[in-house]
Amino acid sequence: METGSIPVADLPGGFDLQSTVESGQSYLWRREDGRMYETPRAYGGDAWYYTVLEGEVVRARQRDGLLEWEATTDAEPLLFSLLRLDDDLDAIIDATPDDPLVEEAYQKYRGMRIVRDPFFPCLVSFICSAQMRVSRIYGMQTALAREFGERIEFGGSAYYDFPTPGRLAAATEADLRDLNLGYRAPYVRKTAELIASGEAEPGDVRGRAYEDARDAAKVFVGVGDKVADCVLLFSLGYLQAVPLDTWIRSAIEDHYPHCERGSYAKTSRAIREQFGDEYAGYAQTYVFHYLRN
């Protein structure tokens, strides 16, 4: 076992682990106490969380000004990547136009960062997200990992990696429906087949101009504009992406009616401009977490 800690004071703009991993961005982190997505207004907690990435287990908690970690490998570079600890939150917030709702959300959850999840697990998570509460989406991903992922022993406990595309492609639709995926089961299976066969891959999306990347992501089955934006934002680093989910559409209706333009593409451009474009995804994520709570 390797261990270490990262001083939160050294991270530009601070950091809050609980809101980062319990704000509906990621379904790949789990609480050791089993209470993931149970806490209203998730922020400021000191629980242990863990994730599994390509066979490596990483456990982390935030306590006494430190992000402490235990892992099967040197986890510091993994944590910097997965939790975007090198983002300058102060600069990002300063670059966001003055906006009462966004400012209130930034103040309430200061230190929350956008995650950088691996592509395939992120893609599957958001294919499963249609018309689902965050706790249900989380439950589906946990079940997929336990049923089809690699089991890893660490510190006397069992952990499960997210299944590979090949493992999910080999599953039957009935297998996936048994895990409560419902009508999403064939979408997950077909998307896994596309990636496992090499017919489609992350490289087809990554590196394109933002709106081109969103269109390219829709080659995966079950992926429309909103799911594509979630994957671009929470996996591929397109920080300007603003997924138009229920909460953001409510925000547009109540606070930014001038941004409603009738189509996803046009409304998306308008709300991105409202939120400052370059880091609009950060404003969206804070507003989402703030309104949902």
Side-chain angles (χ1 to χ4, degrees), residues 16-25 31 35-46 49 105 108-113 134 285-286 288-290 292-293:
D16 183 72
L17 177 62
Q18 184 180 17
S19 59
T20 298
V21 299
E22 287 198 60
S23 52
Q25 308 178 53
R31 278 176 64 148
R35 299 192 60 195
M36 195 77 174
Y37 287 112
E38 289 184 11
T39 308
R41 298 175 297 280
Y43 185 79
D46 61 0
Y49 294 87
K108 184 76 172 178
Y109 296 107
R110 187 63 175 259
M112 181 174 70
R113 291 169 182 262
V134 292
T285 303
Y286 272 81
F288 173 92
H289 191 49
Y290 178 78
R292 193 174 70 86
N293 289 302

Side-chain angles (χ1 to χ4, degrees), residues 56-286:
E56 303 291 357
V57 179
V58 178
R59 301 176 72 240
R61 70 175 173 184
Q62 186 170 343
R63 186 178 66 162
D64 298 332
L66 295 173
L67 178 62
E68 302 173 340
W69 58 264
E70 303 174 348
T72 54
T73 186
D74 178 7
E76 185 162 322
L78 288 176
L79 290 169
F80 266 85
S81 177
L82 294 171
L83 302 175
R84 300 190 66 101
L85 298 181
D86 50 359
D87 282 358
D88 188 337
L89 282 184
D90 289 332
I92 288 169
I93 292 170
D94 288 345
T96 303
D98 292 340
D99 181 291
L101 178 61
V102 176
E103 288 175 5
E104 194 167 351
Y106 275 140
Q107 183 175 0
K108 184 76 172 178
Y109 296 107
R110 187 63 175 259
M112 181 174 70
R113 291 169 182 262
I114 286 177
V115 298
R116 187 188 281 116
D117 278 345
F119 180 83
F120 180 64
C122 181
L123 178 62
V124 170
S125 296
F126 285 102
I127 289 173
C128 291
S129 70
Q131 300 178 337
M132 280 286 147
R133 300 187 306 274
V134 292
S135 59
R136 289 286 303 279
I137 304 164
Y138 166 75
M140 290 178 189
Q141 308 322 302
T142 301
L144 283 171
R146 186 172 293 273
E147 185 69 21
F148 297 107
E150 179 187 357
R151 177 187 170 107
I152 301 165
E153 298 288 337
F154 174 64
S157 298
Y159 298 86
Y160 296 87
D161 206 342
F162 196 83
T164 63
R167 287 295 301 275
L168 287 188
T172 67
E173 184 177 324
D175 290 336
L176 299 177
R177 286 185 182 272
D178 285 345
L179 301 181
N180 296 317
L181 268 68
Y183 70 85
R184 306 157 194 83
Y187 302 160
V188 169
R189 186 171 182 271
K190 182 58 178 174
T191 285
E193 288 178 347
L194 288 172
I195 295 176
S197 68
E199 187 175 345
E201 58 184 27
D204 298 335
V205 181
R206 185 183 285 114
R208 292 173 178 258
Y210 163 61
E211 291 195 8
D212 288 344
R214 186 174 65 199
D215 289 340
K218 291 188 283 186
V219 70
F220 299 103
V221 182
V223 176
D225 288 313
K226 193 269 283 190
V227 171
D229 267 337
C230 289
V231 175
L232 294 182
L233 180 59
F234 302 130
S235 177
L236 298 182
Y238 287 82
L239 297 182
Q240 68 270 57
V242 177
L244 299 184
D245 54 41
T246 300
W247 293 106
I248 297 305
R249 287 193 179 276
S250 293
I252 290 171
E253 182 177 350
D254 295 340
H255 299 272
Y256 316 109
H258 59 283
C259 291
E260 177 53 61
R261 302 295 172 85
S263 71
Y264 189 101
K266 292 179 180 178
T267 302
S268 173
R269 291 188 197 113
I271 193 66
R272 288 202 312 275
E273 284 185 18
Q274 177 71 35
F275 287 162
D277 200 16
E278 184 178 5
Y279 301 115
Y282 255 103
Q284 180 271 347
T285 303
Y286 272 81

Side-chain angles (χ1 to χ4, degrees), residues 3-17:
T3 63
S5 63
I6 301 168
V8 173
D10 291 349
L11 305 176
F15 177 63
D16 183 72
L17 177 62

